[in-house]
Amino acid sequence: MTHETTSVGLRWTGHALIDMGVAAVVLATGNDRPEDVTQDQWARWMDELEQDYLDRLLQKPCSILFTLNAFDNPSWSKRPEERAQKIQRTFESARKADPLLPEPCTFFPERPAVVRAARDLFPMLMGQQQLNFYPNGRSELPLSALALGCVLSLPRVAPIVSGRAMIVGADDPELLLDLCEYWKETLDRELALLRAGGSWKDRKAPRTRLLEALEEVFGPAGAHRFAAADRLSGVTLYHLSNSGNGPSVDIYTVRPLVNRFLARAEAAAHRPRWKALVRAFWRRPRDGAYEQAIPQGRKKQGAPLSDDERLQARNDVYELLPALPDEAAGFIRRIFLRFALNRTGQRQDFRTEDIDIWPLVELFLTELMPAMTPERIETIRRLADELAHEIQANNDRRLYRQLMGLVSGTDAYGAFRALLIRAIRERLRRTNQLLLTFDDYLLLFEEGEGFPRTDWRLVRDLVRIRVLEQLHQAGFFAEAPELLEEEIPDEETEEA
C-alpha cells in the first residue's frame, strides 16, 4: 500500500478539542469518516495549514486558542525568521511518523508522543514547566503527531465569537461534522477575503450563533449526515479563551430533545411558524432593541439588520433554547405568550407576522414536556376554545380582562380559580352545559381538590395563548379596541 491509500490512523476520541480538529481534517480532505483520511491527504493538509500560519491568516484565532506568544510573539517583529522557525518546527512534529518521546499520546494512546504540549500548543493547559494539575508529576501533555495536527486545525473550523473560540462537542460525530462543515464553509469564505486584504467578521452572542448553526444543519437545504428527526444527540459548547491575560471558559449544553424539537420545527409542517417566531425576537446589537420594534412617539421604524449586524445580534428564542427543558415554562411565557400578545396588539413590543403558533406550541409540549400528555394538551385546547367562545359570543370583556391579568390581584391561584368557577356557572345557567368537568379541572389545575398543581401557571399561560389566537381569528379585538390599550404588566410575561 502507498501513502496515497494508507490510512493515517485518524479516529474519534471523545474529547471535544481533538474531535473538532478531527472534523476539520475530515472535511478539508474531502472524506466522510476519519478512518478514510490517508497519509498523503494528511501531509497535504498540514502543508496548506502551515502556509496559512506563516502568512498570518490565522493570527486572530491562534492568539485566542494558543496565546499570542505561541506563533506571533511580539518580540519576533524584528526577527521574523524566529517566528517562521517556530511554525516550521511545530508542523514538522505534526508530520512525524517516528516517535520522539518514550511515552504514549494522551488522546491516541496507540501512538507515541512527539511533543509535550503546554498552553501554547493546547488550549486551557498550564504554562511550560508548571507541575500543577498534571499526572505523574510531569508538566505538559504528551501529544502524537495526529493529536498535534488536529489541534492546529482548530482555527479553520472554530468561529471566534465575543473574543473567544467556539469549541463544540456532540454525542453523535455526524452532527459534529455537519456543524463544522457549516462553520468551515463560512470561515473559508472569510479566509478568501482575508487573502485579498479583508478582515475576519466580528461575531457576538455565542448561544445565538450555536443555535443559528444547528437550525441551518437541521434545515431543509442541502444534504446532511445527521438525521435529527430519527436520532438523538446533544451538543456542548465550550466558549473559551486561552488568552494569557485571562483564560476562561463558559459551557452551554443543548440537550438531545431540544435538538429533535428544533429539527421537527424546521420540517415543512412547522417551518413557516417557526421562522415567524424567530424573526420576531431578533435584537439589535447596539442597544438591545427588537429589530421589529414598534416605533413610539416620533421615532421612525429602524432599518433591517445588515449582514454584519446580524452576526452580532442575539435572538431571544436561541438564547433560551439551551435552558430547555428545565425552563420550559419560562420559554412558553417569554416567547410563545409574548408573540401571541404582540400579534393581537395587547402588547406593543414588536411587530409579528399574522400567523397562528398553537400547532408549534403543541409540538413543543409533546417533544419537551413529558408531563403534558396528549390528554392534557387536548383538554387545554378545548378549555381555551370554550373560554374564547364565551368571551366572543357574550362580549364578556370582564372575563377576558381577568383571564389575561389586566385586573390587579388576578395572578394568585385563588383568583384564577374563582374566575373559572364564575365562567362555568354562567355557561351552566345559560345553556345547562358544563364549560369544564370536575375531572378535567383536576387534570389541568389541581393534584386534589383545593391543592393546585405546581404548573398551574403554565396551563394558564397556554390557555391564554390559545384564547388570544381564537379571539383574533374571530375579529373580537376589532370590536373591542379599548382592551388593547390596557397592557399586561411586565411581571406577567417575564416571570419564570
Side-chain angles (χ1 to χ4, degrees), residues 160-222:
I160 302 303
V161 179
S162 299
R164 300 188 194 181
M166 290 181 59
I167 303 297
V168 170
D171 299 339
D172 192 308
E174 290 190 348
L175 178 54
L176 177 61
L177 275 172
D178 282 339
L179 278 170
C180 287
E181 184 171 38
Y182 170 74
W183 282 325
K184 185 176 184 300
E185 289 175 354
T186 301
L187 296 178
D188 282 353
R189 289 193 293 270
E190 292 184 22
L191 198 59
L193 294 175
L194 203 65
R195 292 189 175 101
S199 59
W200 292 107
K201 299 287 187 182
D202 187 19
R203 293 174 169 82
K204 298 187 185 302
R207 282 175 294 194
T208 291
R209 302 284 82 80
L210 173 62
L211 269 298
E212 201 173 41
L214 284 169
E215 186 177 85
E216 186 69 24
V217 166
F218 297 148

Side-chain angles (χ1 to χ4, degrees), residues 471-492:
L471 292 178
H472 179 73
Q473 291 174 4
F476 173 75
F477 297 106
E479 301 296 326
E482 71 279 1
L483 290 177
L484 301 182
E485 298 176 4
E486 304 180 51
E487 188 169 303
I488 294 180
D490 283 342
E491 61 268 23
E492 285 294 305

